[in-house]
Amino acid sequence: MKKKNNARRAAYEAKQEKEGKKVVEWIIGVLLVLAIIFAVYTSIMMG
């Protein structure tokens, strides 16, 4: 029974880690896109 619980816990942890990495990648991507948009907007306003 304990082995079954440990295997289930390990699978859950692996799934959580994978989903967590995906969320971090999305956040970084959105921040980069916003930074590019801001840079373009600023250069247009100053030009």
Side-chain angles (χ1 to χ4, degrees), residues 17-44:
E17 183 177 352
K18 184 179 177 184
E19 290 178 3
K21 286 181 181 180
K22 188 184 293 185
V23 168
V24 170
E25 289 173 359
W26 270 98
I27 290 171
I28 291 171
V30 167
L31 288 174
L32 285 173
V33 168
L34 289 173
I36 292 169
I37 291 171
F38 179 73
V40 170
Y41 171 76
T42 304
S43 66
I44 290 172

Side-chain angles (χ1 to χ4, degrees), residues 1 4-6 9 11-12 18 20 25 38 44-46:
M1 186 71 166
K4 185 177 181 181
N5 286 340
N6 286 341
R9 182 179 295 135
Y12 180 75
K18 184 179 177 184
E25 289 173 359
F38 179 73
I44 290 172
M45 296 304 288
M46 293 294 187

